[in-house]
Amino acid sequence: MMEAPGSAPAVAKAPATGPRPALPAALLSAARRIADTHHAEHGTPVTAAQLATRMGIALPVATTALAQL
């Protein structure tokens, strides 16, 4: 796609860096239980998408939970 002369080029946002917010202990406890059960049943770690589906939470929250386990 060609840009019109004089237009500013599109800039991709860099991913946010820095510490993620701490999640409630109850949410982390439930995430750990689901992750442990998944690993025991399937022999592989649970993915953030699977955790989000099982817990009914948003993918970024599930990603943060996995990072904190």
Side-chain angles (χ1 to χ4, degrees):
M1 181 171 143
M2 300 285 297
E3 293 180 15
S7 67
V11 177
K13 288 187 176 186
T17 58
R20 292 182 174 146
L23 297 174
L27 189 144
L28 288 175
S29 177
R32 181 176 308 281
R33 191 169 45 253
I34 290 169
D36 290 346
T37 299
H38 184 277
H39 192 271
E41 291 176 355
H42 301 283
T44 59
V46 69
T47 66
Q50 290 166 329
L51 186 62
T53 299
R54 289 282 311 269
M55 295 185 72
I57 58 176
L59 183 58
V61 176
T63 301
T64 300
L66 282 178
Q68 293 182 22
L69 291 182

